[in-house]
Amino acid sequence: MIRLRSCALRWALPGAVVTLVLLYQARTRYSWGSFPSVSYRDPLGARQPGARTMTAQTPVTPLGSRAPRSTLQQFLGDLYGRDETYWSSRCPSGIRKRIAGTKFSSVFLEAIPVLQWARHARPAEYRRLRRYGGAHGWQEVGWPVVRDALTHLNVSANGRMFDARPGATAGGSPCVRCAVVGNGGILNGSRAGAAMDRHDYVFRTNGALTKGFERDVGRRTSFYVFSTNTMMHSLRNYASNGFRRLPQTLETKYIFLPDHDRDYLLLRAALTHLPVDRGPDEGARPERYFGKDLRAEKFKMFHPDFIRYVRNRFLHSSILDTPQRRLYRPSTGAVMLLAALHTCDEVSAYGFITPDYQAYSDHYFDPTHKALLFYANHDLRLEMSLWQELHQSRLITLHMRG
Ligand SMILES: *[C@@H]1O[C@H](CO)[C@@H](O)[C@H](O)[C@H]1NC(C)=O
Ligand SMILES: *[C@@H]1O[C@H](CO)[C@@H](O)[C@H](O)[C@H]1NC(C)=O
């Protein structure tokens, strides 16, 4: 990987993105006029209980001669499908109610798809998404691989983040409160573990080590977020710190961030209870990672539209103006935190990068101080600015010290 030394600390919405937002709005008005909303029927013929109706995907036709786009705009692809699953929050003070009064109102798309599942295993969706590379589309993934993985994500839990509103089960608030836990050294000595565990859901990622660190990082893992690559890396590199297996509790669900065909292959292996049949993980047994409970309910997968949207609108790094643009994607932790922002009513973020990051080790579980390194495939300084902005806009509560 390439070390990046010259990325300036800044928060700015480049003019290009503003233009794209306008294009998007013009485009959606056009599509609404031409393609009225239709009820969503999933490929299995079953309506999703509890989920509201969904509208058709934004049509695939290119903008064509009406609005010629530059190569960069085509690369970015600031045009997405639609999923209205998260419109229905009954929380009076939820993030979606508060966003209108903030600087994020013009970038936030109410109907951005967050997850992909069997509904998306369609040739038309494949034609639309194969234009985008890496985690942002299906360019490097063959249609049979996509299809064979997604068709197994065929239960209603695959299409939405949460099974039930906590108000329905706990008799309490209708608001979904989420703790999103990164791995930053700022958590060492934080004593924040009990506060994290008191949320309705706890999100963790990569080297999500809790054993021995409960006082600082809590015990619960409702969602473990990973790409196959980052998960294997964590198991390899943090085994000596005690991270030898993923969290495997009754409540734990696994959310893939697909940035390679190995994610689709591992997902299919898990859902068919068979070893991975090809690629770099050939022979890997899904039980090794996810335990014996391999029901479809245990798994979710981020939609490439969501990752592309996060990159284009929230983490539009200056790397995108360089030849390295194909290497760049938001970090796994960033996608996790922004997914929580789009699905929860309240978000508390712990262990994410803060301006005083040099005072802390890379991870809370490091036995000795390790400086945080910056790589060109992510833009952690831009992520740091975004977390500050979201905190100042009162959309998330960012845990800070000092
Ligand atoms: C969902 O997929 C599984 C295979 O993973 C299959 O056995 C099951 O019949 C499917 N369910 C429906 C409702 O089609
Ligand atoms: C974690 O905190 C303790 C207590 O402040 C400190 O002694 C230790 O060096 C810290 N660990 C790392 C890796 O910075």
Side-chain angles (χ1 to χ4, degrees):
M1 275 186 272
I2 298 163
R3 272 295 284 285
L4 183 81
R5 295 165 196 280
S6 60
C7 185
L9 169 58
R10 56 124 180 73
W11 164 258
L13 271 179
V17 171
V18 174
T19 314
L20 287 169
V21 171
L22 296 174
L23 267 178
Y24 176 86
Q25 287 168 345
R27 177 77 186 139
T28 39
R29 268 200 302 279
Y30 172 77
S31 358
W32 284 342
S34 313
F35 299 87
S37 294
V38 294
S39 290
Y40 158 58
R41 185 176 288 281
D42 82 20
L44 313 159
R47 286 291 293 257
Q48 288 204 72
R52 297 210 329 191
T53 56
M54 299 192 179
T55 54
Q57 295 287 306
T58 302
V60 180
T61 38
L63 291 172
S65 57
R66 293 194 308 129
R69 293 187 294 175
S70 76
T71 312
L72 180 60
Q73 283 169 329
Q74 277 171 21
F75 172 84
L76 295 175
D78 193 39
L79 194 60
Y80 312 96
R82 292 178 61 80
D83 179 348
E84 295 172 10
T85 304
Y86 308 101
W87 281 16
S88 57
S89 168
R90 288 179 293 116
C91 176
S93 56
I95 287 167
R96 283 171 184 254
K97 304 256 169 26
R98 283 180 274 135
I99 207 135
T102 71
K103 67 202 302 177
F104 292 98
S105 63
S106 61
V107 296
F108 190 97
L109 294 181
E110 293 275 354
I112 187 74
V114 178
L115 299 172
Q116 59 176 338
W117 68 99
R119 170 203 180 189
H120 301 103
R122 300 187 317 189
E125 187 79 341
Y126 188 74
R127 284 194 296 277
R128 186 174 72 85
L129 287 170
R130 75 176 173 195
R131 300 179 199 165
Y132 311 113
H136 311 100
W138 290 340
Q139 201 163 75
E140 297 92 6
V141 193
W143 162 241
V145 173
V146 169
R147 180 196 58 206
D148 292 351
L150 295 187
T151 50
H152 293 290
L153 287 175
N154 65 3
V155 298
S156 62
N158 300 137
R160 51 198 171 154
M161 197 63 86
F162 310 115
D163 294 340
R165 295 283 161 191
T169 53
S173 154
C175 302
V176 176
R177 298 165 53 254
C178 299
V180 186
V181 187
N183 298 333
I186 192 173
L187 292 176
N188 177 21
S190 68
R191 296 173 176 264
M196 292 175 194
D197 284 347
R198 278 195 299 271
H199 288 74
D200 297 309
Y201 300 99
V202 182
F203 288 72
R204 299 185 194 271
T205 185
N206 293 339
L209 187 55
T210 53
K211 196 170 159 42
F213 299 90
E214 291 87 348
R215 196 189 62 181
D216 290 340
V217 306
R219 301 168 184 277
R220 293 177 51 205
T221 302
S222 320
F223 299 103
Y224 177 78
V225 175
F226 65 103
S227 74
T228 304
N229 183 43
T230 64
M231 179 264 278
M232 299 282 186
H233 175 274
S234 299
L235 286 170
R236 234 182 358 255
N237 289 275
Y238 311 138
S240 61
N241 305 110
F243 188 69
R244 296 197 180 86
R245 58 174 210 175
L246 312 191
Q248 290 177 9
T249 66
L250 203 57
E251 73 168 318
T252 306
K253 307 256 177 12
Y254 301 97
I255 310 181
F256 282 83
L257 188 170
D259 67 1
H260 200 279
D261 64 358
R262 56 195 298 206
D263 297 290
Y264 294 89
L265 293 169
L266 180 60
L267 175 68
R268 187 186 57 166
L271 296 175
T272 55
H273 309 192
L274 292 169
V276 176
D277 69 351
R278 73 189 108 135
D281 309 305
E282 185 174 341
R285 306 194 67 87
E287 304 84 351
R288 154 80 179 91
Y289 305 102
F290 312 115
K292 292 209 179 316
D293 183 359
L294 297 172
R295 289 170 305 136
E297 286 80 355
K298 293 288 272 186
F299 298 92
K300 301 179 198 290
M301 190 177 249
F302 286 128
H303 197 297
D305 274 354
F306 185 71
I307 301 160
R308 209 169 67 255
Y309 156 84
V310 164
R311 177 195 67 183
N312 292 346
R313 289 171 173 245
F314 290 85
L315 290 166
H316 189 106
S317 172
S318 53
I319 299 168
L320 291 169
D321 301 324
T322 74
Q324 270 97 47
R325 72 169 66 113
R326 290 193 161 273
L327 285 180
Y328 172 72
R329 75 161 167 85
S331 72
T332 309
V335 175
M336 169 174 73
L337 182 43
L338 286 158
L341 186 82
H342 284 74
T343 55
C344 307
D345 295 307
E346 293 172 26
V347 170
S348 315
Y350 300 89
F352 281 80
I353 184 171
T354 52
D356 60 348
Y357 67 87
Q358 284 171 322
Y360 314 109
S361 191
D362 191 356
H363 308 112
Y364 59 81
F365 48 75
D366 294 333
T368 56
H369 184 92
K370 253 173 63 186
L372 177 65
L373 299 180
F374 294 87
Y375 295 95
N377 61 333
H378 300 314
D379 189 342
L380 293 187
R381 290 186 179 86
L382 181 58
E383 293 184 8
M384 176 171 78
S385 308
L386 176 60
W387 312 145
Q388 293 291 306
E389 297 274 343
L390 287 169
H391 179 79
Q392 282 151 16
S393 303
R394 298 180 186 279
L395 293 173
I396 67 171
T397 305
L398 178 67
H399 170 256
M400 288 182 271
R401 300 174 79 172

